C-alpha cells in the first residue's frame, strides 16, 4: 500500500472522528476512539467504493495523484456527513432493553 492509498483511506475517517468528538463535547476513551474510527473507516470507504463502482462505473481503482485527491475530497464529505448523522441518531434514539429470566424462583 502506498502513502497515497493510506492517506485517502484513513485520514478522512480520522477527521470525521475528530468532528464527532467535538460534537459530543467530551474526550473519547481509547476504546471509543478505535471502535468509532473502525466504524467510520468501514462506512466511509464502503460508501465511496459503492459510489465509484456503481454510479461512476469504475471497475479498477488506480490511486494516482489526481484520483487520490478526488477520492479524498469525496471521502471527507462523506465522513463529515456520517459523523453528524451518527451524533444526531445517538441523541434522538433511545433503546430500553429488558431481560426476562425463564426461572425467576432461583434468582
Amino acid at each position: 500500500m502506498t502513502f497515497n492509498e493510506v492517506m485517502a483511506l484513513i485520514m478522512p475517517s480520522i477527521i470525521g472522528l475528530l468532528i464527532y468528538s467535538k460534537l459530543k463535547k467530551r474526550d473519547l476513551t481509547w476504546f471509543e476512539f478505535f471502535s468509532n474510527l473502525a466504524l467510520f473507516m468501514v462506512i466511509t470507504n464502503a460508501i465511496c467504493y459503492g459510489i465509484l463502482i456503481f454510479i461512476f462505473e469504475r471497475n479498477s481503482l488506480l490511486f494516482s495523484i489526481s484520483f487520490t485527491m478526488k477520492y479524498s475530497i469525496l471521502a471527507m464529505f462523506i465522513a463529515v456527513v456520517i459523523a453528524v448523522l451518527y451524533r444526531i441518531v445517538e441523541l434522538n434514539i433511545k433503546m430500553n432493553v429488558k431481560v426476562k429470566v425463564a426461572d425467576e424462583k432461583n434468582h
Side-chain angles (χ1 to χ4, degrees):
M1 219 181 232
T2 64
F3 182 72
N4 287 346
E5 293 176 38
V6 172
M7 290 298 290
L9 296 174
I10 296 174
M11 288 306 291
S13 299
I14 291 175
I15 293 170
L17 182 62
L18 293 175
I19 290 171
Y20 169 74
S21 174
K22 292 297 178 187
L23 290 173
K24 197 163 185 170
K25 296 181 182 174
R26 73 171 179 88
D27 292 334
L28 301 174
T29 63
W30 284 104
F31 179 75
E32 288 175 327
F33 179 82
F34 286 114
S35 61
N36 287 331
L37 179 62
L39 177 69
F40 285 178
M41 284 174 40
V42 167
I43 293 173
T44 301
N45 291 317
I47 291 172
C48 282
Y49 281 145
I51 288 171
L52 291 173
I53 291 171
F54 295 116
I55 294 176
F56 295 119
E57 297 178 358
R58 293 191 66 155
N59 293 330
S60 64
L61 303 175
L62 179 63
F63 277 86
S64 64
I65 299 296
S66 63
F67 176 76
T68 302
M69 189 60 137
K70 293 174 189 174
Y71 185 88
S72 296
I73 292 169
L74 177 65
M76 182 73 63
F77 175 74
I78 291 171
V80 169
V81 169
I82 289 171
V84 172
L85 288 177
Y86 186 62
R87 184 64 182 152
I88 289 171
V89 167
E90 189 177 57
L91 289 173
N92 293 318
I93 294 180
K94 182 180 267 189
M95 294 177 65
N96 293 326
V97 179
K98 183 177 180 182
V99 178
K100 288 188 175 183
V101 178
D103 187 17
E104 293 186 15
K105 294 177 187 176
N106 294 334
H107 296 286

